[in-house]
Amino acid sequence: EAGVAQSPRYKIIEKRQSVAFWCNPISGHATLYWYQQILGQGPKLLIQFQNNGVVDDSQLPKDRFSAERLKGVDSTLKIQPAKLEDSAVYLCASSLRGPTNEKLFFGSGTQLSVL
Amino acid sequence: GNSVTQMEGPVTLSEEAFLTINCTYTATGYPSLFWYVQYPGEGLQLLLKATKADDKGSNKGFEATYRKETTSFHLEKGSVQVSDSAVYFCALSDHGSGNTGKLIFGQGTTLQVKP
């Protein structure tokens, strides 16, 4: 089966610019996640969708980050304006229902460098 | 709050050596515990899991036992191979009352196996 697709693979921008990432989860997976992984740290959940509704966005910096999952399939994550500390790998993951006891499938991530 | 702590890396071993990567956790509810692995250039993938105390998860020769009394979930393998070189992440999913069950990751431990 096809895995979780993310694009772009790499992105370099200057601070205060905006950037958007795209994710297409595995077909049929109701739950979609965006994680931020800063170098040397474990992934941190930014937002979790169940179909097209938000389940958890408690760690999303809402003054600059936004995410949507229209039609409950693919999703975009946007940063506007970017800061230096946003440099990280942004991971998208999906699961059939939810994370409890369940396997998450991760994409390869988008590596963002903010200069 | 919930958290996961892993031993510092990198861990460098010779082929066929015994591997232990320590992981301890703090959780308010009844977490499920996971090990995810990230091979070079690939996305994170589930290695094994355990959903209740005294459960043992196993896969590809790796094992980890859910120890509630020591709040630990150490990863072990009796004989490592060069192909096991990767970054290993311990994680928990707390699906207790009031929790969404989101995955919380440790910081990751890099394993390098030399021939």
Side-chain angles (χ1 to χ4, degrees):
Chain A
E1 70 184 356
V4 176
Q6 289 188 248
S7 66
R9 187 72 178 91
Y10 302 94
K11 191 72 177 178
I12 300 173
I13 62 173
E14 296 187 349
K15 60 183 179 183
R16 290 188 290 274
Q17 287 186 324
S18 62
V19 64
F21 313 126
W22 175 82
C23 172
N24 191 21
I26 292 173
S27 177
H29 279 195
T31 310
L32 184 147
Y33 317 78
W34 283 102
Y35 280 85
Q36 180 192 57
Q37 186 177 11
I38 293 172
L39 187 65
Q41 299 181 19
K44 182 185 80 172
L45 181 69
L46 292 175
I47 189 166
Q48 177 184 334
F49 292 93
Q50 185 77 17
N51 296 309
N52 60 349
V54 175
V55 173
D56 187 339
D57 64 356
S58 57
Q59 297 190 92
L60 186 74
K62 299 181 185 64
D63 58 335
R64 298 183 301 106
F65 286 64
S66 64
E68 60 182 12
R69 191 185 184 197
L70 299 176
K71 301 181 182 178
V73 181
D74 56 353
S75 176
T76 56
L77 176 70
K78 296 179 182 178
I79 308 174
Q80 183 179 12
K83 292 186 175 181
L84 296 177
E85 59 261 36
D86 298 332
S87 295
V89 177
Y90 290 84
L91 299 169
C92 181
S94 70
S95 64
L96 197 55
R97 290 181 295 275
T100 304
N101 298 338
E102 205 173 274
K103 182 177 178 179
L104 269 65
F105 294 81
F106 283 84
S108 296
T110 295
Q111 184 170 330
L112 174 67
S113 297
V114 182
L115 307 178
Chain B
N2 298 338
S3 66
V4 176
T5 302
Q6 294 180 230
M7 65 185 287
E8 292 285 333
V11 174
T12 303
L13 296 173
S14 297
E15 209 165 19
E16 299 183 3
F18 184 86
L19 169 71
T20 299
I21 300 178
N22 290 338
C23 170
T24 57
Y25 68 90
T26 302
T28 55
Y30 307 95
S32 296
L33 302 174
F34 306 81
W35 278 99
Y36 276 78
V37 59
Q38 187 171 30
Y39 298 103
E42 299 183 16
L44 278 82
Q45 53 188 278
L46 179 65
L47 180 60
L48 54 83
K49 69 177 184 182
T51 58
K52 61 183 186 297
D54 299 324
D55 268 2
K56 178 185 283 188
S58 61
N59 186 26
K60 298 182 181 180
F62 290 89
E63 293 183 339
T65 301
Y66 189 140
R67 302 285 189 200
K68 188 176 180 181
E69 63 276 12
T70 54
T71 63
S72 65
F73 193 55
H74 304 323
L75 182 68
E76 297 182 335
K77 186 175 186 182
S79 176
V80 294
Q81 306 300 313
V82 172
S83 57
D84 294 326
S85 298
V87 183
Y88 292 81
F89 293 90
C90 185
L92 71 80
S93 172
D94 188 352
H95 43 86
S97 175
N99 293 304
T100 61
K102 68 184 180 187
L103 275 182
I104 296 171
F105 287 87
Q107 76 272 30
T109 302
T110 299
L111 170 66
Q112 184 178 19
V113 180
K114 296 186 174 180

